[in-house]
Amino acid sequence: MSSSNILKVIIAIAIGAGIGLIYGWVIDPIEYVDVTPNILRQDYQIDYVLMTAEAYHYDFDAQIAAKRLAILGSESPAEIVAKALQYANNNNFSELEIQSLQTLLTAMQTYQPQENP
Amino acid sequence: MSKRNISTLYIVLALLFGFGIGLVYSWFISPVTYVDANPAILQADFKNQYRIVIAFSYQATQDLERAKARLSLLGDADPIGALSAQAQQMLAAGEPFEKAQPLAQLAKDLQLGYVSNPVTATPFPTFNTPTVEATVEETATNFTVTPEAGFTSEPTLFFEQTPLIPIQETITPRPTFTAVVSNSNPFNLVGQETVCDPSKQALMQLIFLDSRDNEVVGVEIVVTWNAGESNFFTGFKPELGNGYADFVMQADTVYNIQVVTGGAFVPNISAPTCTEPNGFEYVGGVLLTFQR
């Protein structure tokens, strides 16, 4: 095989690889169907934290609230709520919603996880 | 085969090889990563958790429209059915009624279209309440006593009657009161009917009413038979009534019913045999009505 043919083959491989990448990333990317909550869009995550805060307002159970927040990632519940509170303050959440988040934040900051027997 | 054809074949093979490498890289080695997913593609158990949080949040806020909007994010074809099914699964898994009840309540309210059991908001707990030191200042006040003025009434000579206008009273319908179980009077069996409906074969239907004929939600029932027992609650099929529960019987099996909350015991219930006009026989159901 002449050197010009080898070059043509290499170029063909590169073009094929490029088409393959476009197909795999853009045209037909892998579809996720069973995702975990930590990759939810930020506003959905914040709404989930807000719901947890509202639910906490109903039962005042810090342990359950911490458990609910734990599915959002490896950060501590207090950090998760603090971020949500910051988002709420920056995005004109209602006073009641901010108050709910503030109450949950206070609870999470003082919450001590119970040890499993 | 000419040299030119061989060269073209190599190029086509090289293109395919490159395409394969590209696909392997983009699908397996470095696939697209999701960072802004929506709740509809959550794993089933996380969706269940999401529904629970929505239901508990609804218990606190009583905001039905918002709960509905949040549920729609999960992409359930039948959100009410999904809530009811999850509540029943929780009970079947031995979870306490209090944990499943908000789901059933939300399912019921979505079915009705209004908040059926409004609650008074619990005040936020107050932290770090500042201490206020009160200072009392005494101020001397001087009162002057003025003698009362004399009052003279003048007689009215003419009196004209204002014509009476009929008052049109607007009656605003109030939501139906949903009775919640309390340990008061026991339930008694007040009605037992055979149901011959081919669509409800071998179905034991139970309805619980209070003294005002309101359906009672949350009544626990235990059904026992020679091979086992099953317990369930009313209110988990809100589309059929808040005080409704049902159980599928087997033919030729005798069941005993024990109402856990407020104690009636009904022995020897079995599925009756029904006959259609054309002579076709099938296992019928029973409708049991309890009241206290």
Side-chain angles (χ1 to χ4, degrees):
Chain A
M1 201 186 251
S2 68
S3 60
S4 70
N5 279 343
I6 291 173
L7 187 67
K8 280 178 188 170
V9 167
I10 290 170
I11 290 170
I13 290 174
I15 291 170
I19 295 170
L21 287 176
I22 291 168
Y23 189 83
W25 279 340
V26 183
I27 299 169
D28 187 20
I30 284 183
E31 278 183 27
Y32 291 84
V33 284
D34 288 334
V35 303
T36 50
N38 60 321
I39 62 162
L40 284 177
R41 210 170 66 199
Q42 192 190 16
D43 53 346
Y44 293 133
Q45 291 199 25
I46 301 298
D47 191 45
Y48 182 86
V49 179
L50 177 61
M51 286 191 283
T52 307
E54 288 165 347
Y56 177 71
H57 187 211
Y58 175 70
D59 56 18
F60 291 108
D61 190 331
Q63 195 177 355
I64 286 180
K67 213 170 148 185
R68 286 173 177 155
L69 293 170
I71 70 169
L72 289 177
S74 54
E75 287 176 305
S76 74
E79 284 172 333
I80 292 169
V81 183
K83 279 185 181 172
L85 185 59
Q86 196 182 357
Y87 182 97
N89 282 318
N90 295 338
N91 288 276
N92 301 321
F93 277 39
S94 73
E95 202 179 312
L96 195 65
E97 289 167 342
I98 290 172
Q99 204 177 2
S100 296
L101 287 167
Q102 185 63 60
T103 307
L104 181 62
L105 178 61
T106 310
M108 291 299 101
Q109 282 169 337
T110 53
Y111 166 68
Q112 296 291 325
Q114 288 177 0
E115 285 181 17
N116 288 328
Chain B
M1 217 181 227
S2 69
K3 251 186 171 180
R4 190 183 174 81
N5 284 344
I6 290 172
S7 168
T8 310
L9 182 69
Y10 277 138
I11 289 170
V12 170
L13 287 176
L15 269 172
L16 289 175
F17 181 67
F19 185 73
I21 290 173
L23 273 189
V24 168
Y25 189 82
S26 60
W27 279 353
F28 301 108
I29 299 170
S30 176
V32 171
T33 12
Y34 271 74
V35 285
D36 287 335
N38 65 66
I41 58 169
L42 281 175
Q43 225 169 279
D45 51 342
F46 291 125
K47 276 190 177 182
N48 288 345
Q49 176 67 26
Y50 211 96
R51 267 186 223 104
I52 290 171
V53 178
I54 291 172
F56 273 84
S57 158
Y58 170 68
Q59 289 287 309
T61 62
Q62 306 276 288
D63 190 338
L64 191 59
E65 284 308 309
R66 196 165 200 189
K68 198 192 280 186
R70 281 166 167 167
L71 278 173
S72 71
L73 295 175
L74 292 171
D76 293 322
D78 176 15
I80 298 171
L83 283 167
S84 300
Q86 187 176 338
Q88 288 181 55
Q89 284 164 8
M90 286 169 73
L91 288 173
E95 301 249 16
F97 178 74
E98 294 73 34
K99 282 188 84 175
Q101 196 269 339
L103 290 150
Q105 180 75 42
L106 178 55
K108 189 182 87 179
D109 289 0
L110 286 171
Q111 185 81 30
L112 296 171
Y114 58 80
V115 182
S116 63
N117 193 17
V119 291
T120 315
T122 316
F124 282 96
T126 314
F127 300 100
N128 304 325
T129 312
T131 316
V132 179
E133 287 183 16
T135 315
V136 180
E137 285 182 15
E138 286 184 21
T139 315
T141 313
N142 295 322
F143 295 98
T144 316
V145 179
T146 317
E148 281 186 29
F151 175 72
T152 47
S153 65
E154 288 182 19
T156 310
L157 298 176
F158 301 102
F159 175 77
E160 198 175 331
Q161 173 70 49
T162 312
L164 293 172
I165 302 166
I167 300 166
Q168 289 183 341
E169 192 179 350
T170 313
I171 299 165
T172 314
R174 294 184 178 211
T176 318
F177 174 73
T178 306
V180 180
V181 176
S182 62
N183 297 323
S184 50
N185 299 327
F187 285 103
N188 294 310
L189 181 68
V190 294
Q192 180 172 345
E193 296 169 32
T194 298
V195 179
C196 285
D197 180 351
S199 67
K200 290 177 181 170
Q201 288 192 25
L203 198 63
M204 180 197 292
Q205 299 177 85
L206 304 112
I207 294 173
F208 288 81
L209 305 169
D210 66 8
S211 55
R212 294 177 177 181
D213 288 342
N214 293 315
E215 296 197 12
V216 185
V217 70
V219 180
E220 186 177 5
I221 307 126
V222 178
V223 173
T224 53
W225 62 100
N226 58 3
E229 72 169 47
S230 174
N231 70 321
F232 46 93
F233 292 82
T234 58
F236 284 87
K237 290 188 176 173
E239 67 279 12
L240 298 172
N242 299 325
Y244 176 89
D246 61 28
F247 173 82
V248 179
M249 298 181 283
Q250 301 294 319
D252 304 325
T253 305
V254 177
Y255 297 92
N256 299 320
I257 301 163
Q258 172 74 56
V259 182
V260 177
T261 333
F265 179 74
V266 182
N268 303 325
I269 298 292
S270 55
T273 303
C274 295
T275 311
E276 286 201 349
N278 61 6
F280 172 71
E281 285 191 349
Y282 62 93
V283 183
V286 288
L287 173 62
L288 304 170
T289 307
F290 294 84
Q291 191 160 26
R292 67 177 174 205

mmCIF file of all heavy atoms in Angstrom, chain B residues 223-262:
data_model
loop_
_atom_site.group_PDB
_atom_site.id
_atom_site.type_symbol
_atom_site.label_atom_id
_atom_site.label_comp_id
_atom_site.label_asym_id
_atom_site.label_seq_id
_atom_site.Cartn_x
_atom_site.Cartn_y
_atom_site.Cartn_z
ATOM 1 N N VAL B 223 -59.552 -9.183 57.830
ATOM 2 C CA VAL B 223 -60.354 -10.298 57.309
ATOM 3 C C VAL B 223 -59.535 -11.566 57.508
ATOM 4 O O VAL B 223 -58.372 -11.631 57.094
ATOM 5 C CB VAL B 223 -60.675 -10.081 55.812
ATOM 6 C CG1 VAL B 223 -61.361 -11.303 55.239
ATOM 7 C CG2 VAL B 223 -61.557 -8.860 55.635
ATOM 8 N N THR B 224 -60.131 -12.547 58.157
ATOM 9 C CA THR B 224 -59.416 -13.807 58.387
ATOM 10 C C THR B 224 -60.174 -14.952 57.730
ATOM 11 O O THR B 224 -61.394 -14.911 57.607
ATOM 12 C CB THR B 224 -59.273 -14.107 59.896
ATOM 13 O OG1 THR B 224 -60.575 -14.035 60.487
ATOM 14 C CG2 THR B 224 -58.378 -13.121 60.573
ATOM 15 N N TRP B 225 -59.454 -15.936 57.295
ATOM 16 C CA TRP B 225 -60.051 -17.162 56.756
ATOM 17 C C TRP B 225 -59.143 -18.314 57.135
ATOM 18 O O TRP B 225 -58.109 -18.083 57.796
ATOM 19 C CB TRP B 225 -60.276 -17.038 55.243
ATOM 20 C CG TRP B 225 -59.056 -16.835 54.398
ATOM 21 C CD1 TRP B 225 -58.394 -17.777 53.678
ATOM 22 C CD2 TRP B 225 -58.353 -15.608 54.174
ATOM 23 N NE1 TRP B 225 -57.336 -17.227 53.009
ATOM 24 C CE2 TRP B 225 -57.290 -15.889 53.296
ATOM 25 C CE3 TRP B 225 -58.503 -14.291 54.631
ATOM 26 C CZ2 TRP B 225 -56.379 -14.926 52.871
ATOM 27 C CZ3 TRP B 225 -57.597 -13.341 54.194
ATOM 28 C CH2 TRP B 225 -56.568 -13.653 53.326
ATOM 29 N N ASN B 226 -59.501 -19.534 56.746
ATOM 30 C CA ASN B 226 -58.754 -20.683 57.274
ATOM 31 C C ASN B 226 -57.289 -20.697 56.839
ATOM 32 O O ASN B 226 -56.457 -21.320 57.485
ATOM 33 C CB ASN B 226 -59.460 -21.999 56.878
ATOM 34 C CG ASN B 226 -59.594 -22.136 55.372
ATOM 35 O OD1 ASN B 226 -59.123 -21.278 54.628
ATOM 36 N ND2 ASN B 226 -60.241 -23.197 54.913
ATOM 37 N N ALA B 227 -56.966 -19.995 55.750
ATOM 38 C CA ALA B 227 -55.584 -20.056 55.265
ATOM 39 C C ALA B 227 -54.794 -18.780 55.518
ATOM 40 O O ALA B 227 -53.656 -18.667 55.094
ATOM 41 C CB ALA B 227 -55.587 -20.362 53.770
ATOM 42 N N GLY B 228 -55.391 -17.814 56.174
ATOM 43 C CA GLY B 228 -54.617 -16.602 56.420
ATOM 44 C C GLY B 228 -55.454 -15.413 56.821
ATOM 45 O O GLY B 228 -56.622 -15.564 57.198
ATOM 46 N N GLU B 229 -54.871 -14.245 56.744
ATOM 47 C CA GLU B 229 -55.593 -13.024 57.077
ATOM 48 C C GLU B 229 -55.042 -11.837 56.279
ATOM 49 O O GLU B 229 -53.937 -11.899 55.742
ATOM 50 C CB GLU B 229 -55.520 -12.728 58.578
ATOM 51 C CG GLU B 229 -54.170 -12.262 59.081
ATOM 52 C CD GLU B 229 -54.260 -11.729 60.507
ATOM 53 O OE1 GLU B 229 -54.883 -12.399 61.350
ATOM 54 O OE2 GLU B 229 -53.695 -10.654 60.764
ATOM 55 N N SER B 230 -55.853 -10.808 56.190
ATOM 56 C CA SER B 230 -55.433 -9.616 55.455
ATOM 57 C C SER B 230 -55.999 -8.408 56.185
ATOM 58 O O SER B 230 -57.124 -8.467 56.678
ATOM 59 C CB SER B 230 -55.986 -9.676 54.025
ATOM 60 O OG SER B 230 -55.710 -8.472 53.352
ATOM 61 N N ASN B 231 -55.215 -7.363 56.299
ATOM 62 C CA ASN B 231 -55.786 -6.153 56.900
ATOM 63 C C ASN B 231 -55.650 -4.973 55.951
ATOM 64 O O ASN B 231 -54.707 -4.884 55.177
ATOM 65 C CB ASN B 231 -55.194 -5.852 58.278
ATOM 66 C CG ASN B 231 -53.777 -5.411 58.199
ATOM 67 O OD1 ASN B 231 -53.016 -5.934 57.405
ATOM 68 N ND2 ASN B 231 -53.401 -4.444 59.013
ATOM 69 N N PHE B 232 -56.616 -4.104 55.983
ATOM 70 C CA PHE B 232 -56.653 -2.958 55.087
ATOM 71 C C PHE B 232 -57.482 -1.841 55.728
ATOM 72 O O PHE B 232 -58.078 -2.048 56.795
ATOM 73 C CB PHE B 232 -57.209 -3.348 53.707
ATOM 74 C CG PHE B 232 -58.442 -4.199 53.741
ATOM 75 C CD1 PHE B 232 -59.692 -3.613 53.694
ATOM 76 C CD2 PHE B 232 -58.359 -5.573 53.819
ATOM 77 C CE1 PHE B 232 -60.843 -4.378 53.723
ATOM 78 C CE2 PHE B 232 -59.505 -6.361 53.851
ATOM 79 C CZ PHE B 232 -60.743 -5.774 53.812
ATOM 80 N N PHE B 233 -57.500 -0.689 55.058
ATOM 81 C CA PHE B 233 -58.166 0.502 55.619
ATOM 82 C C PHE B 233 -59.179 1.060 54.622
ATOM 83 O O PHE B 233 -59.034 0.871 53.420
ATOM 84 C CB PHE B 233 -57.140 1.598 55.899
ATOM 85 C CG PHE B 233 -56.173 1.288 56.997
ATOM 86 C CD1 PHE B 233 -55.057 0.505 56.758
ATOM 87 C CD2 PHE B 233 -56.373 1.781 58.276
ATOM 88 C CE1 PHE B 233 -54.148 0.225 57.761
ATOM 89 C CE2 PHE B 233 -55.473 1.515 59.287
ATOM 90 C CZ PHE B 233 -54.361 0.731 59.035
ATOM 91 N N THR B 234 -60.132 1.787 55.150
ATOM 92 C CA THR B 234 -61.042 2.517 54.257
ATOM 93 C C THR B 234 -60.355 3.798 53.794
ATOM 94 O O THR B 234 -59.432 4.280 54.437
ATOM 95 C CB THR B 234 -62.346 2.908 54.974
ATOM 96 O OG1 THR B 234 -62.019 3.718 56.110
ATOM 97 C CG2 THR B 234 -63.124 1.704 55.421
ATOM 98 N N GLY B 235 -60.805 4.303 52.668
ATOM 99 C CA GLY B 235 -60.317 5.608 52.191
ATOM 100 C C GLY B 235 -59.212 5.546 51.173
ATOM 101 O O GLY B 235 -58.736 6.576 50.724
ATOM 102 N N PHE B 236 -58.780 4.351 50.783
ATOM 103 C CA PHE B 236 -57.689 4.265 49.834
ATOM 104 C C PHE B 236 -58.178 4.102 48.391
ATOM 105 O O PHE B 236 -57.394 3.901 47.484
ATOM 106 C CB PHE B 236 -56.723 3.137 50.215
ATOM 107 C CG PHE B 236 -55.870 3.551 51.367
ATOM 108 C CD1 PHE B 236 -56.293 3.360 52.672
ATOM 109 C CD2 PHE B 236 -54.670 4.198 51.166
ATOM 110 C CE1 PHE B 236 -55.532 3.785 53.733
ATOM 111 C CE2 PHE B 236 -53.904 4.627 52.221
ATOM 112 C CZ PHE B 236 -54.332 4.425 53.517
ATOM 113 N N LYS B 237 -59.485 4.176 48.221
ATOM 114 C CA LYS B 237 -60.044 4.242 46.865
ATOM 115 C C LYS B 237 -61.038 5.406 46.871
ATOM 116 O O LYS B 237 -62.252 5.206 46.871
ATOM 117 C CB LYS B 237 -60.727 2.921 46.494
ATOM 118 C CG LYS B 237 -59.717 1.792 46.305
ATOM 119 C CD LYS B 237 -60.328 0.544 45.752
ATOM 120 C CE LYS B 237 -59.242 -0.492 45.503
ATOM 121 N NZ LYS B 237 -59.781 -1.796 45.124
ATOM 122 N N PRO B 238 -60.491 6.631 46.935
ATOM 123 C CA PRO B 238 -61.372 7.789 47.109
ATOM 124 C C PRO B 238 -62.412 7.917 46.008
ATOM 125 O O PRO B 238 -63.469 8.496 46.216
ATOM 126 C CB PRO B 238 -60.413 8.975 47.104
ATOM 127 C CG PRO B 238 -59.157 8.472 46.507
ATOM 128 C CD PRO B 238 -59.092 7.011 46.792
ATOM 129 N N GLU B 239 -62.098 7.375 44.835
ATOM 130 C CA GLU B 239 -63.067 7.467 43.737
ATOM 131 C C GLU B 239 -64.329 6.673 44.048
ATOM 132 O O GLU B 239 -65.388 6.908 43.444
ATOM 133 C CB GLU B 239 -62.425 7.003 42.421
ATOM 134 C CG GLU B 239 -62.057 5.533 42.315
ATOM 135 C CD GLU B 239 -60.728 5.165 42.976
ATOM 136 O OE1 GLU B 239 -60.183 5.990 43.723
ATOM 137 O OE2 GLU B 239 -60.259 4.036 42.748
ATOM 138 N N LEU B 240 -64.228 5.735 45.001
ATOM 139 C CA LEU B 240 -65.400 4.938 45.361
ATOM 140 C C LEU B 240 -65.983 5.360 46.708
ATOM 141 O O LEU B 240 -66.973 4.791 47.155
ATOM 142 C CB LEU B 240 -65.032 3.444 45.394
ATOM 143 C CG LEU B 240 -64.551 2.864 44.051
ATOM 144 C CD1 LEU B 240 -64.027 1.458 44.219
ATOM 145 C CD2 LEU B 240 -65.678 2.865 43.035
ATOM 146 N N GLY B 241 -65.364 6.296 47.357
ATOM 147 C CA GLY B 241 -65.882 6.795 48.632
ATOM 148 C C GLY B 241 -64.825 6.764 49.712
ATOM 149 O O GLY B 241 -63.952 5.889 49.719
ATOM 150 N N ASN B 242 -64.930 7.723 50.623
ATOM 151 C CA ASN B 242 -63.930 7.818 51.697
ATOM 152 C C ASN B 242 -64.041 6.678 52.697
ATOM 153 O O ASN B 242 -63.074 6.300 53.335
ATOM 154 C CB ASN B 242 -64.096 9.139 52.440
ATOM 155 C CG ASN B 242 -63.884 10.312 51.527
ATOM 156 O OD1 ASN B 242 -63.057 10.251 50.637
ATOM 157 N ND2 ASN B 242 -64.659 11.370 51.727
ATOM 158 N N GLY B 243 -65.248 6.145 52.836
ATOM 159 C CA GLY B 243 -65.445 5.071 53.809
ATOM 160 C C GLY B 243 -65.490 3.700 53.150
ATOM 161 O O GLY B 243 -66.014 2.751 53.724
ATOM 162 N N TYR B 244 -64.938 3.625 51.941
ATOM 163 C CA TYR B 244 -65.037 2.389 51.172
ATOM 164 C C TYR B 244 -63.741 1.584 51.255
ATOM 165 O O TYR B 244 -62.637 2.136 51.264
ATOM 166 C CB TYR B 244 -65.337 2.732 49.714
ATOM 167 C CG TYR B 244 -65.367 1.528 48.783
ATOM 168 C CD1 TYR B 244 -66.533 0.816 48.578
ATOM 169 C CD2 TYR B 244 -64.207 1.115 48.106
ATOM 170 C CE1 TYR B 244 -66.559 -0.283 47.726
ATOM 171 C CE2 TYR B 244 -64.231 0.026 47.246
ATOM 172 C CZ TYR B 244 -65.408 -0.666 47.062
ATOM 173 O OH TYR B 244 -65.429 -1.757 46.225
ATOM 174 N N ALA B 245 -63.894 0.272 51.314
ATOM 175 C CA ALA B 245 -62.743 -0.629 51.198
ATOM 176 C C ALA B 245 -63.256 -1.909 50.553
ATOM 177 O O ALA B 245 -64.451 -2.210 50.641
ATOM 178 C CB ALA B 245 -62.148 -0.929 52.571
ATOM 179 N N ASP B 246 -62.401 -2.643 49.895
ATOM 180 C CA ASP B 246 -62.861 -3.919 49.344
ATOM 181 C C ASP B 246 -61.785 -4.990 49.424
ATOM 182 O O ASP B 246 -60.624 -4.703 49.720
ATOM 183 C CB ASP B 246 -63.399 -3.765 47.908
ATOM 184 C CG ASP B 246 -62.359 -3.246 46.933
ATOM 185 O OD1 ASP B 246 -61.157 -3.489 47.154
ATOM 186 O OD2 ASP B 246 -62.756 -2.588 45.957
ATOM 187 N N PHE B 247 -62.218 -6.200 49.192
ATOM 188 C CA PHE B 247 -61.360 -7.360 49.352
ATOM 189 C C PHE B 247 -61.876 -8.445 48.402
ATOM 190 O O PHE B 247 -63.087 -8.658 48.298
ATOM 191 C CB PHE B 247 -61.460 -7.832 50.816
ATOM 192 C CG PHE B 247 -60.761 -9.124 51.098
ATOM 193 C CD1 PHE B 247 -59.392 -9.152 51.333
ATOM 194 C CD2 PHE B 247 -61.465 -10.326 51.130
ATOM 195 C CE1 PHE B 247 -58.753 -10.350 51.589
ATOM 196 C CE2 PHE B 247 -60.825 -11.518 51.396
ATOM 197 C CZ PHE B 247 -59.461 -11.527 51.623
ATOM 198 N N VAL B 248 -60.964 -9.090 47.684
ATOM 199 C CA VAL B 248 -61.397 -10.127 46.732
ATOM 200 C C VAL B 248 -61.443 -11.479 47.440
ATOM 201 O O VAL B 248 -60.452 -11.924 48.016
ATOM 202 C CB VAL B 248 -60.439 -10.190 45.515
ATOM 203 C CG1 VAL B 248 -60.882 -11.276 44.543
ATOM 204 C CG2 VAL B 248 -60.394 -8.854 44.809
ATOM 205 N N MET B 249 -62.624 -12.089 47.399
ATOM 206 C CA MET B 249 -62.821 -13.378 48.080
ATOM 207 C C MET B 249 -62.531 -14.524 47.120
ATOM 208 O O MET B 249 -62.519 -14.349 45.903
ATOM 209 C CB MET B 249 -64.275 -13.495 48.561
ATOM 210 C CG MET B 249 -64.681 -12.438 49.562
ATOM 211 S SD MET B 249 -66.398 -12.639 50.102
ATOM 212 C CE MET B 249 -67.290 -11.999 48.693
ATOM 213 N N GLN B 250 -62.336 -15.684 47.685
ATOM 214 C CA GLN B 250 -62.224 -16.915 46.903
ATOM 215 C C GLN B 250 -63.541 -17.670 47.059
ATOM 216 O O GLN B 250 -64.178 -17.589 48.117
ATOM 217 C CB GLN B 250 -61.080 -17.792 47.422
ATOM 218 C CG GLN B 250 -59.701 -17.137 47.389
ATOM 219 C CD GLN B 250 -59.224 -16.869 45.974
ATOM 220 O OE1 GLN B 250 -59.404 -17.695 45.080
ATOM 221 N NE2 GLN B 250 -58.637 -15.696 45.756
ATOM 222 N N ALA B 251 -63.912 -18.408 46.024
ATOM 223 C CA ALA B 251 -65.138 -19.211 46.120
ATOM 224 C C ALA B 251 -64.941 -20.303 47.182
ATOM 225 O O ALA B 251 -63.811 -20.765 47.404
ATOM 226 C CB ALA B 251 -65.437 -19.840 44.767
ATOM 227 N N ASP B 252 -65.994 -20.679 47.840
ATOM 228 C CA ASP B 252 -65.989 -21.756 48.850
ATOM 229 C C ASP B 252 -65.044 -21.477 50.014
ATOM 230 O O ASP B 252 -64.444 -22.397 50.572
ATOM 231 C CB ASP B 252 -65.620 -23.106 48.199
ATOM 232 C CG ASP B 252 -66.554 -23.445 47.052
ATOM 233 O OD1 ASP B 252 -67.755 -23.108 47.150
ATOM 234 O OD2 ASP B 252 -66.084 -24.012 46.045
ATOM 235 N N THR B 253 -64.865 -20.227 50.342
ATOM 236 C CA THR B 253 -64.046 -19.887 51.515
ATOM 237 C C THR B 253 -64.902 -19.018 52.439
ATOM 238 O O THR B 253 -65.633 -18.143 51.972
ATOM 239 C CB THR B 253 -62.777 -19.096 51.093
ATOM 240 O OG1 THR B 253 -62.083 -19.850 50.116
ATOM 241 C CG2 THR B 253 -61.868 -18.830 52.270
ATOM 242 N N VAL B 254 -64.792 -19.311 53.726
ATOM 243 C CA VAL B 254 -65.583 -18.566 54.706
ATOM 244 C C VAL B 254 -64.666 -17.541 55.380
ATOM 245 O O VAL B 254 -63.559 -17.866 55.798
ATOM 246 C CB VAL B 254 -66.198 -19.523 55.755
ATOM 247 C CG1 VAL B 254 -66.947 -18.742 56.819
ATOM 248 C CG2 VAL B 254 -67.108 -20.520 55.069
ATOM 249 N N TYR B 255 -65.154 -16.328 55.447
ATOM 250 C CA TYR B 255 -64.348 -15.234 55.993
ATOM 251 C C TYR B 255 -64.983 -14.667 57.266
ATOM 252 O O TYR B 255 -66.219 -14.623 57.387
ATOM 253 C CB TYR B 255 -64.239 -14.101 54.963
ATOM 254 C CG TYR B 255 -63.526 -14.514 53.694
ATOM 255 C CD1 TYR B 255 -64.246 -15.006 52.608
ATOM 256 C CD2 TYR B 255 -62.148 -14.425 53.601
ATOM 257 C CE1 TYR B 255 -63.601 -15.396 51.445
ATOM 258 C CE2 TYR B 255 -61.491 -14.809 52.431
ATOM 259 C CZ TYR B 255 -62.223 -15.298 51.362
ATOM 260 O OH TYR B 255 -61.583 -15.691 50.220
ATOM 261 N N ASN B 256 -64.115 -14.227 58.163
ATOM 262 C CA ASN B 256 -64.565 -13.499 59.355
ATOM 263 C C ASN B 256 -64.010 -12.079 59.264
ATOM 264 O O ASN B 256 -62.846 -11.887 58.905
ATOM 265 C CB ASN B 256 -64.021 -14.152 60.623
ATOM 266 C CG ASN B 256 -64.512 -15.577 60.749
ATOM 267 O OD1 ASN B 256 -65.669 -15.891 60.457
ATOM 268 N ND2 ASN B 256 -63.613 -16.473 61.147
ATOM 269 N N ILE B 257 -64.849 -11.126 59.586
ATOM 270 C CA ILE B 257 -64.420 -9.720 59.485
ATOM 271 C C ILE B 257 -64.357 -9.107 60.879
ATOM 272 O O ILE B 257 -65.321 -9.183 61.641
ATOM 273 C CB ILE B 257 -65.415 -8.918 58.615
ATOM 274 C CG1 ILE B 257 -65.483 -9.541 57.220
ATOM 275 C CG2 ILE B 257 -64.987 -7.458 58.501
ATOM 276 C CD1 ILE B 257 -66.694 -9.106 56.442
ATOM 277 N N GLN B 258 -63.227 -8.521 61.174
ATOM 278 C CA GLN B 258 -63.064 -7.835 62.464
ATOM 279 C C GLN B 258 -62.733 -6.372 62.167
ATOM 280 O O GLN B 258 -61.773 -6.075 61.453
ATOM 281 C CB GLN B 258 -61.907 -8.481 63.239
ATOM 282 C CG GLN B 258 -61.507 -7.741 64.508
ATOM 283 C CD GLN B 258 -62.523 -7.936 65.640
ATOM 284 O OE1 GLN B 258 -62.805 -9.071 66.008
ATOM 285 N NE2 GLN B 258 -63.051 -6.855 66.170
ATOM 286 N N VAL B 259 -63.549 -5.481 62.689
ATOM 287 C CA VAL B 259 -63.252 -4.050 62.539
ATOM 288 C C VAL B 259 -62.350 -3.662 63.702
ATOM 289 O O VAL B 259 -62.764 -3.698 64.860
ATOM 290 C CB VAL B 259 -64.548 -3.209 62.541
ATOM 291 C CG1 VAL B 259 -64.217 -1.737 62.333
ATOM 292 C CG2 VAL B 259 -65.488 -3.697 61.465
ATOM 293 N N VAL B 260 -61.116 -3.348 63.379
ATOM 294 C CA VAL B 260 -60.139 -3.087 64.445
ATOM 295 C C VAL B 260 -60.501 -1.801 65.186
ATOM 296 O O VAL B 260 -60.498 -1.752 66.408
ATOM 297 C CB VAL B 260 -58.719 -2.982 63.846
ATOM 298 C CG1 VAL B 260 -57.701 -2.634 64.919
ATOM 299 C CG2 VAL B 260 -58.350 -4.279 63.157
ATOM 300 N N THR B 261 -60.830 -0.766 64.408
ATOM 301 C CA THR B 261 -61.146 0.518 65.028
ATOM 302 C C THR B 261 -62.632 0.545 65.375
ATOM 303 O O THR B 261 -63.460 0.787 64.513
ATOM 304 C CB THR B 261 -60.835 1.649 64.038
ATOM 305 O OG1 THR B 261 -59.828 1.224 63.152
ATOM 306 C CG2 THR B 261 -60.440 2.914 64.729
ATOM 307 N N GLY B 262 -62.958 0.247 66.570
ATOM 308 C CA GLY B 262 -64.344 0.338 66.988
ATOM 309 C C GLY B 262 -65.157 -0.883 66.716
ATOM 310 O O GLY B 262 -66.265 -0.839 66.178
#
